[in-house]
């Protein structure tokens, strides 16, 4: 069925939004079939975002773990995370659709910064919804967004994190659907968003696959990425889905363990949140749970529907990393490679500890989805 | 049943009440005063943690009900006695997830068994045909929403799989009180009427008797939610407040 990945996905939205989703799908299909769009996107990706990003052979980290680690350096993009790949693509789409006002939700603030950036670039009005808990722990990014001319609206309801920010963005969209483009930040939400975001993030996988072939030869044994909503993961996985020899690992935030985490695939049940049916952390009554992760970008009770499908079909495995393990990996990567990763990306690095125990000597491609400047005060200040 | 009831009620106002606020005993008492006050039907809202179609008032109502310990199983225990006792049709309004957790079809059947006559689910999947068929089979009305943005072909599709009444969403926006009615709502109702013989009720944003008067000039019924819940949440005597606020709506502006 249209917009489904197996039994996951779909469009579960208030009726008011349905025409907007149809319009978006049509615009997306036209844009993807249009060489002029591809050329324009390509130009911005290379001349503004700074693509291709390097593939770094992490020699000291490899020695530490006893396997061969390659890092796809999304931290080196303009604005410092993979979120910009999606934002630049969607803003070009918004322009084609004639929209002047853009809204977005953000958790870690990386998507908010990416959206504020592309809105500044194209002179569009920008409003970013952000939970007040996240505004406190990712203060630097709040200031960056404001500097770029975006209006940052605090969301106070519930746990005041990414879930609530997303709900508030949807409410704004319902009220302003004629004029407004909703620039969603991950591979979540109703169809066509999970597909749109995957296609725009697929550049990570395409580049990494070619670079790996050139620098290391052949294919990696495993590809690893952290999973919040799942956009950086689906972006890098997409190039390897058909390569049966390549194991795919998504890393979920296990937070403090024991019910305080964001591991939707490991501990959730199928459910509907924010317009899509996917694995969802919820109680026996279908009430969505509060989540926790030291990484604001992984602090979300749902996950993109395609990941639920990849888990159900066992094409990808989804593993757990705690706050503590991620914080250790955050420090480790700085010490060994001179790279300070985002706390989200540190989850992917930390997984190597588990992986290398059984897979010594294997070649692993890790998506380093972003840089950790935004997290330095969380790590040192205990603000999480 | 809902359909006839709306048609036969002279001033068809349908109040909405969030269940479990502040507790289910109070909800039961509120149902009684609303029925006594002449409600055409009553919508009972099952609170949900993430009500994306709701404005601040109903968000808060949901949040407070959940915080006060609302549980689905407790509601199911009460529904049977409420529907036996209250003389007006009860309609459940909720998001799809609380109904899906134990299987959508089973949940809908359980509601029917408890005497509920209809359901309203604002985030039904775009293709809700199978759900409608199940509801028809078990004799539960599936009230569908038609928005101001809904195109004609889509409206036709919705209305071919709708029963009880049509819920015409009056505004582009979430639920909540508004001071004036949106322009063009009469034309929206008229265009819905071209596609269905079901009663057409208007909701979202109604808070005054004058608005009810005006809407009933061309619609078959009016739904009032946020305004009532605002009253219910703003004092220590929620039942009296609900009764008085509803009486003001029923008495008309004159
Ligand atoms: C650097 C970084 N990595 C990963 C994520 C998680 O999002 P996703 O799972 O969509 O890649 C975020 C989200 O804010 C992020 O900022």
């Amino acid at each position: 069925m249209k917009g489904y990945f197996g039994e996951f996905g779909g469009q579960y939205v208030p009726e008011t939004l349905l025409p907007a989703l149809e319009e978006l799908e049509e615009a997306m299909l036209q844009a993807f079939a249009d060489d002029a769009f591809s050329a324009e996107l390509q130009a911005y990706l290379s001349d503004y975002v700074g693509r291709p990003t390097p593939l770094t052979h992490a020699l000291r980290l490899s020695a530490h773990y006893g396997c061969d680690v390659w890092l796809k350096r999304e931290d080196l993009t303009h604005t410092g995370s993979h979120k910009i790949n999606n934002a630049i693509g969607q803003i070009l789409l918004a322009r084609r659709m004639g929209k002047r006002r853009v809204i977005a939700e953000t958790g870690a603030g990386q998507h908010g910064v990416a959206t504020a950036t592309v809105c500044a670039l194209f002179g569009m009005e920008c409003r970013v919804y952000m939970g007040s808990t996240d505004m406190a722990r990712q203060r630097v990014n709040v200031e960056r967004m404001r500097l770029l001319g975006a209006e940052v609206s605090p969301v106070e309801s519930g746990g005041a994190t990414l879930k609530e920010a997303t709900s508030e963005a949807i409410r704004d969209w319902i009220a302003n659907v004629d004029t407004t483009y909703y620039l969603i930040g991950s591979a979540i939400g109703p169809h066509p968003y999970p597909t749109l975001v995957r296609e725009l993030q697929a550049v990570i996988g395409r580049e990494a696959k070619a670079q790996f072939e050139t620098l290391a030869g052949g294919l990696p044994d495993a590809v690893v990425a952290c999973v919040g909503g799942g956009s950086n993961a689906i972006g890098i996985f997409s190039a390897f889905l058909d390569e049966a020899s390549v194991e795919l690992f998504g890393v979920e935030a296990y937070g403090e363990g024991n019910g305080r985490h964001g591991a939707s695939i490991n501990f959730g049940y199928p459910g509907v949140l924010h317009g899509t049916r996917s694995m969802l952390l919820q109680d026996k009554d279908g009430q969505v749970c509060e989540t926790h992760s030291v990484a604001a970008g992984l602090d979300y009770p749902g996950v993109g529907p395609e990941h639920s499908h990849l888990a159900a079909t066992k094409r990808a495995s989804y593993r757990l990393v705690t706050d503590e393990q991620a914080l250790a990996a955050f420090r480790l990567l700085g010490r060994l490679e001179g790279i300070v990763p985002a706390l989200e990306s540190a989850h992917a690095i930390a997984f190597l500890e588990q992986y290398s125990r059984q897979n010594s000597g294997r070649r692993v491609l890790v998506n380093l989805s972003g840089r950790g400047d935004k997290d330095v005060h969380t790590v040192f200040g205990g603000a999480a | 049943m809902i359909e006839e009831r709306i048609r036969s009620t002279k001033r068809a106002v349908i109040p909405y009440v969030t269940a479990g606020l502040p507790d289910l005993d109070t909800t039961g008492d509120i149902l009684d005063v609303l029925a006594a006050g002449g409600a055409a039907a009553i919508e009972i809202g099952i609170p949900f943690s993430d009500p994306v179609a709701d404005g601040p008032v109903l968000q808060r109502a949901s949040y407070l009900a959940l915080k006060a310990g609302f549980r689905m199983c407790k509601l199911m225990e009460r529904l049977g006695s409420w529907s036996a006792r209250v003389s007006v049709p009860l309609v459940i309004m909720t998001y799809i997830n609380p109904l899906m957790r134990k299987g959508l079809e089973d949940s809908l059947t359980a509601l029917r068994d408890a005497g509920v006559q209809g359901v309203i689910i604002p985030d039904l999947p775009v293709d809700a045909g199978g759900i409608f068929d199940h509801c028809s089979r078990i004799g539960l009305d599936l009230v569908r929403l038609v928005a101001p943005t809904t195109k004609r072909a889509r409206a036709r599709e919705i209305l071919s799989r709708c029963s009880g009444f049509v819920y015409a969403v009056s505004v582009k926006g979430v639920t909540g009180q508004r001071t004036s009615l949106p322009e063009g709502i009469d034309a929206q109702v008229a265009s819905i009427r071209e596609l269905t013989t079901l009663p057409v009720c208007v909701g979202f944003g109604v808070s005054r008797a004058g608005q009810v008067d005006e809407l009933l000039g061309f619609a078959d019924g009016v739904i009032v939610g946020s305004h009532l819940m605002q009253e219910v949440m703003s004092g220590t005597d929620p039942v009296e407040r609900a009764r008085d606020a509803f009486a003001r709506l029923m008495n008309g502006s004159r």
Side-chain angles (χ1 to χ4, degrees):
Chain A
M1 221 186 336
K2 190 181 95 170
Y4 278 85
F5 306 90
E7 58 169 310
F8 301 106
Q11 295 178 314
Y12 295 78
V13 294
E15 202 56 43
T16 307
L17 291 181
L18 213 55
L21 293 175
E22 281 168 5
E23 184 191 352
L24 177 63
E25 182 182 19
E26 202 171 300
M28 172 186 86
L29 293 173
Q30 275 175 11
F32 287 166
D34 180 356
D35 292 341
F37 180 83
S38 310
E40 190 181 22
L41 177 58
Q42 186 48 50
Y44 279 105
L45 287 176
S46 65
D47 307 341
Y48 187 76
V49 174
R51 303 206 72 89
T53 57
L55 183 69
T56 300
H57 196 184
L59 292 172
R60 298 188 69 209
L61 195 71
S62 298
H64 176 85
Y65 285 124
C67 56
D68 198 24
V69 183
W70 296 77
L71 304 175
K72 180 58 176 164
R73 301 292 304 281
E74 294 302 298
D75 60 314
L76 293 178
T77 56
H78 178 44
T79 73
S81 87
H82 71 291
K83 299 284 181 187
I84 191 77
N85 304 327
N86 171 51
I88 197 88
Q90 287 202 52
I91 203 81
L92 294 177
L93 201 55
R95 260 199 337 166
R96 282 169 74 101
M97 295 170 72
K99 306 285 183 186
R100 304 293 316 158
R101 176 175 183 267
V102 171
I103 55 171
E105 81 296 338
T106 197
Q110 287 304 107
H111 175 58
V113 167
T115 303
T117 298
V118 297
C119 285
L121 181 63
F122 290 107
M124 299 229 206
E125 187 186 336
C126 178
R127 175 181 283 215
V128 179
Y129 290 95
M130 189 169 189
S132 51
T133 305
D134 289 340
M135 285 178 74
R137 63 176 160 172
Q138 308 276 231
R139 202 176 51 227
V140 179
N141 276 342
V142 175
E143 282 154 12
R144 283 170 84 195
M145 286 185 268
R146 289 185 170 144
L147 197 62
L148 293 161
E151 193 181 331
V152 183
S153 297
V155 181
E156 310 282 354
S157 53
T161 61
L162 182 54
K163 169 169 82 89
E164 289 75 24
T166 306
S167 294
E168 206 53 34
I170 293 173
R171 292 187 189 107
D172 180 314
W173 202 29
I174 295 173
N176 301 293
V177 63
D178 294 335
T179 57
T180 298
Y181 184 93
Y182 178 22
L183 207 163
I184 209 164
S186 190
I188 58 168
H191 176 72
Y193 281 112
T195 300
L196 173 59
V197 176
R198 179 197 62 211
E199 291 305 308
L200 294 172
Q201 293 292 4
V203 64
I204 306 173
R206 277 197 305 273
E207 285 178 10
K209 193 179 186 185
Q211 290 166 323
F212 194 89
E213 168 74 43
T214 306
L215 298 176
L219 290 165
D221 296 305
V223 176
V224 180
C226 67
V227 177
S231 68
N232 87 88
I234 203 70
I236 195 159
F237 286 179
S238 61
F240 299 95
L241 285 173
D242 294 335
E243 305 288 357
S245 69
V246 182
E247 281 191 283
L248 305 176
F249 293 99
V251 182
E252 296 200 297
Y254 196 38
E256 296 169 357
N258 243 335
R260 281 196 31 96
H261 56 75
S264 336
I265 293 178
N266 277 281
F267 298 102
Y269 300 88
V272 170
L273 178 68
H274 297 144
T276 191
R277 181 165 190 275
S278 192
M279 298 301 276
L280 180 63
L281 293 169
Q282 53 179 320
D283 69 13
K284 289 192 169 67
D285 276 2
Q287 305 295 343
V288 182
C289 301
E290 293 301 331
T291 53
H292 168 80
S293 171
V294 69
L298 307 183
D299 202 345
Y300 183 69
V303 64
E306 195 166 2
H307 287 292
S308 294
H309 181 58
L310 291 176
T313 56
K314 302 203 161 37
R315 176 61 191 97
S317 312
Y318 295 83
R319 300 297 169 81
L320 301 169
V321 159
T322 64
D323 283 355
E324 207 181 306
Q325 292 166 332
L327 286 164
F330 179 90
R331 293 194 158 89
L332 185 74
L333 194 66
R335 295 280 167 83
L336 293 184
E337 298 289 342
I339 298 170
V340 178
L343 278 172
E344 290 79 12
S345 324
H347 283 71
I349 300 293
F351 169 72
L352 295 172
E353 178 87 41
Q354 307 168 28
Y355 180 79
S356 60
R357 255 180 259 139
Q358 271 121 43
N359 297 283
S360 77
R362 297 262 173 94
R363 303 196 299 178
V364 200
L365 169 62
V366 181
N367 196 13
L368 199 75
S369 55
R371 68 175 188 229
D373 309 39
K374 69 185 177 64
D375 298 313
V376 170
H377 89 276
T378 295
V379 172
F380 286 101
Chain B
M1 279 278 278
I2 300 178
E3 189 178 339
E4 286 92 79
R5 169 81 192 173
I6 291 170
R7 287 196 198 292
S8 62
T9 306
K10 249 176 92 196
R11 188 177 174 84
V13 181
I14 303 175
Y16 167 98
V17 188
T18 303
L21 188 67
D23 51 48
L24 288 171
D25 285 339
T26 309
T27 304
D29 293 344
I30 292 175
L31 298 184
D32 289 333
V33 299
L34 294 174
I42 303 174
E43 285 181 22
I44 301 174
I46 298 178
F48 180 48
S49 51
D50 300 86
V52 295
D54 285 305
V57 173
L58 296 190
Q59 279 178 51
R60 188 155 154 262
S62 239
Y63 174 76
L64 292 176
L66 289 173
K67 215 173 104 182
F70 173 89
R71 292 300 317 271
M72 199 74 146
C73 53
K74 299 265 167 56
L75 175 69
M76 294 308 292
E77 283 168 17
R78 300 294 179 100
L79 274 176
S81 65
W82 288 348
S83 47
R85 186 178 79 208
V86 180
S87 56
V88 309
L90 300 182
V91 179
I92 289 288
M93 179 152 186
T94 189
Y95 293 83
I96 197 165
N97 201 55
L99 297 180
M100 275 188 13
R101 186 68 177 86
K102 299 224 168 77
L104 184 58
E105 296 200 347
D106 289 352
S107 298
L108 293 169
T109 304
L111 290 174
R112 190 273 324 261
D113 291 345
V116 168
Q117 295 195 22
V119 289
I120 307 173
I121 306 171
D123 58 348
L124 273 181
V126 58
D127 174 20
I131 299 168
F132 176 80
D133 293 343
H134 177 76
C135 288
S136 312
R137 217 161 27 238
I138 64 173
L140 186 69
D141 282 329
L142 183 66
V143 174
R144 305 286 299 275
L145 295 95
V146 176
T149 54
T150 306
K151 298 200 185 90
R152 202 169 170 80
R154 169 73 185 158
R156 188 173 284 126
E157 186 186 319
I158 292 170
L159 295 171
S160 70
R161 291 173 176 320
C162 173
S163 51
F165 64 92
V166 183
Y167 194 135
V169 177
S170 62
V171 290
K172 287 174 203 156
V174 292
T175 59
Q177 307 176 70
R178 289 171 177 84
T179 46
S180 60
L181 292 175
E183 243 166 79
I185 178 68
D186 47 347
Q188 189 194 339
V189 170
S191 76
I192 292 172
R193 279 201 201 288
E194 287 171 16
L195 302 173
T196 182
T197 56
L198 287 170
V200 181
C201 301
V202 178
F204 279 40
V206 183
S207 62
R208 297 185 189 157
Q211 295 172 323
V212 175
D213 294 346
E214 196 182 322
L215 289 169
L216 288 178
F218 51 86
D220 301 301
V222 175
I223 300 146
V224 183
S226 296
H227 173 65
L228 275 180
M229 290 316 293
Q230 175 75 53
E231 290 290 323
V232 165
M233 288 188 290
S234 57
T236 50
D237 43 5
V239 182
E240 261 170 66
R241 279 179 174 271
R243 186 191 57 208
D244 295 349
F246 191 66
R248 285 193 295 276
L249 294 166
M250 288 303 285
N251 287 336
S253 56
R254 285 162 288 261

